[in-house]
Amino acid sequence: MADAPITPRILAPHLQQFQHRTVRILGKVVQLLGESAVINADGNVDLKLTADCHLALNHAVEIIGKVEPNLSVKVLKATDFGTGIDFQAANAVVDVTHRYKEIFYSD
Amino acid sequence: MNYNNYETSYTSYGGGGGSGGGFIPGEGSQSSPSGGRRDFTDSLRPVTIKQIWDAQSTGDEFRIDGATISQLTFVGQIRNLSSQTTNITYKIDDGTGVIEVKQWIDSDEAAQESNDPASKKARLVEDAYVRVWGKLKSFHDKKHVGAQIIRPVDDYNEINYHLLEATAVHLYYTKGPLEGTGARKNAGQALEQQTGAPIYGGENALQGYSAVAKKVYKYLTEAPQSNEGLHQQDIAANTGINTSDVAKAGDELLSGGLIYTTVDDQTWAVLETE
């Protein structure tokens, strides 16, 4: 398991609590600025992009990244989830992962 | 959005379509004595990879939340794959952990599929999201999953659907069935969209209708009226909704069989069902 970091699923309001950790965020791309981007995940999250992530405006994207001290997220991996994501369900998932974290992640 | 179609492909949890039947763990022994044992050993359980790592082994069996498991299903992303002559090993990551999944190669099938670039196998590449069905195995104390089926995920909502379903089943085993539900309900059902046959007269009957239609229906059920019902002008005047929207809402409710026309096409009454 050593090479298998667990990536808790979070939204913008959880950033503070997960500083310095590698997390998973599903959000909608609202702004693309070359090496950075902004996604909406129950609030805006600033992303620092790598060269090989291809975000598309208004698409859902799943980010695996590290929460920096200034609460921006350094992207390690980005997966395009298209335009058909039900964000209400997605946010409900984040809620249950923290409510019943015994089956999702350990501190 | 209809999430039921994910589940019809592999399980009878919740028995989609509102029938209310389906998988009721632990009840088998009461309803069908001979089938009780089989239900117990032959189940299909949606899990997270963390739950697989936390599964306790007792002899040949594994337990999650105290319940013996056999078939498992989970959704994750392929992190790495390596092909051997007899099997392919995938490393699957669902955010709660990573586990090795081995699938034996069926040589006939492989020969057929290798000619087809659009085949499911060809889409099982690094970073692809997949759903896995298989059994937990342990070899020299190292856990892996022996997969029967691995297929690519086409709709990313399936990932969230799966995580909610796994949570519902976890809560079923740790906290019991939902409060106030009879024996015919189960944990999985709580998360299903109620897309089954409408239950007339209840709140459920209005699922899928527009907000205006709901308002009109509510007004029709509550406002004093004769058995001729109410004219759409009256409804518009008393609810403050404009006439054309009331007409549209009426069409919706008429086609859904919740109301019927009485003295003319613009006068409606609620269809009471006992």
Side-chain angles (χ1 to χ4, degrees):
Chain A
M1 282 281 281
D3 62 334
I6 290 175
T7 49
R9 290 173 161 84
I10 68 161
L11 295 167
H14 303 104
L15 285 168
Q16 182 80 44
Q17 193 191 332
F18 285 85
Q19 253 183 78
H20 310 297
R21 290 188 67 173
T22 303
V23 296
R24 207 173 265 250
I25 308 174
L26 177 57
K28 188 180 203 170
V29 181
V30 292
Q31 201 175 61
L32 269 174
L33 300 160
E35 288 177 354
S36 67
V38 178
I39 58 168
N40 186 291
D42 196 18
N44 283 351
V45 179
D46 293 320
L47 303 180
K48 269 189 239 163
L49 303 178
T50 57
D52 62 343
C53 48
H54 303 285
L55 304 193
L57 205 59
N58 294 321
H59 277 220
V61 65
E62 186 184 61
I63 301 295
I64 295 175
K66 200 169 169 217
V67 183
E68 302 280 278
N70 68 357
L71 302 189
S72 71
V73 174
K74 194 174 163 207
V75 176
L76 303 170
K77 189 140 214 144
T79 310
D80 191 297
F81 273 17
T83 52
I85 286 294
D86 179 343
F87 281 100
Q88 217 183 327
N91 295 355
V93 167
V94 176
D95 181 58
V96 301
T97 60
H98 299 292
R99 210 179 282 260
Y100 308 110
K101 66 180 183 185
E102 65 271 18
I103 68 167
F104 292 101
Y105 69 94
S106 39
D107 288 314
Chain B
M1 206 166 296
N2 181 5
Y3 294 93
N4 286 337
N5 52 1
Y6 301 132
E7 86 177 47
T8 50
S9 59
Y10 66 92
T11 174
S12 61
Y13 289 122
S19 66
F23 174 64
I24 305 160
E27 218 209 23
S29 55
Q30 293 157 20
S31 55
S32 59
S34 60
R37 179 73 192 160
R38 209 188 56 84
D39 279 358
F40 180 65
T41 54
D42 235 7
S43 63
L44 172 70
R45 184 157 172 189
V47 293
T48 64
I49 291 170
K50 182 170 190 293
Q51 285 181 288
I52 299 177
W53 285 113
D54 292 344
Q56 291 167 322
S57 83
T58 45
D60 286 349
E61 292 181 337
F62 289 97
R63 288 169 171 273
I64 294 177
D65 299 328
T68 303
I69 53 168
S70 59
Q71 305 284 333
L72 300 175
T73 180
F74 54 92
V75 176
Q77 204 168 11
I78 299 175
R79 285 281 166 251
N80 178 275
L81 73 169
S82 65
S83 292
Q84 278 96 43
T85 42
T86 55
N87 72 76
I88 304 176
T89 302
Y90 300 89
K91 275 199 174 135
I92 309 279
D93 173 7
D94 73 347
T96 74
V98 177
I99 195 157
E100 279 193 359
V101 175
K102 277 188 208 293
Q103 189 171 39
W104 296 103
I105 294 171
D106 177 335
S107 48
D108 294 345
E109 204 178 292
Q112 254 175 27
E113 292 223 345
S114 62
N115 296 323
D116 178 8
S119 74
K120 290 198 164 154
K121 266 262 145 51
R123 291 173 56 204
L124 300 181
V125 294
E126 254 177 57
D127 292 342
Y129 263 98
V130 294
R131 184 184 274 277
V132 175
W133 288 267
K135 275 192 166 173
L136 178 54
K137 314 258 171 160
S138 186
F139 188 68
H140 293 312
D141 283 331
K142 191 167 174 273
K143 283 179 185 165
H144 73 271
V145 170
Q148 277 95 41
I149 303 172
I150 304 177
R151 70 146 169 79
V153 162
D154 289 315
D155 181 341
Y156 289 108
N157 287 303
E158 184 171 358
I159 302 159
N160 289 324
Y161 170 83
H162 168 73
L163 294 171
L164 292 173
E165 192 187 28
T167 307
V169 175
H170 164 67
L171 293 176
Y172 181 92
Y173 281 111
T174 52
K175 296 184 195 287
L178 284 172
E179 290 287 322
T181 56
R184 291 176 66 81
K185 295 248 174 142
N186 65 64
Q189 204 168 16
L191 293 168
E192 268 178 43
Q193 302 261 317
Q194 302 276 331
T195 50
I199 304 149
Y200 291 108
E203 284 290 309
N204 287 340
L206 290 170
Q207 283 201 11
Y209 287 89
S210 67
V212 179
K214 284 177 185 166
K215 248 187 184 163
V216 169
Y217 184 80
K218 189 165 185 285
Y219 183 71
L220 271 167
T221 53
E222 290 168 358
Q225 58 198 276
S226 70
N227 56 12
E228 283 177 8
L230 294 167
H231 193 272
Q232 71 175 50
Q233 297 289 359
D234 294 338
I235 299 169
N238 287 302
T239 56
I241 304 165
N242 73 48
T243 319
S244 68
D245 287 341
V246 173
K248 262 185 242 161
D251 285 343
E252 253 184 84
L253 296 167
L254 285 166
S255 63
L258 293 180
I259 60 172
Y260 64 103
T261 57
T262 58
V263 289
D264 59 35
D265 285 350
Q266 282 80 46
T267 308
W268 308 319
V270 170
L271 185 65
E272 302 280 356
T273 50
E274 297 305 321

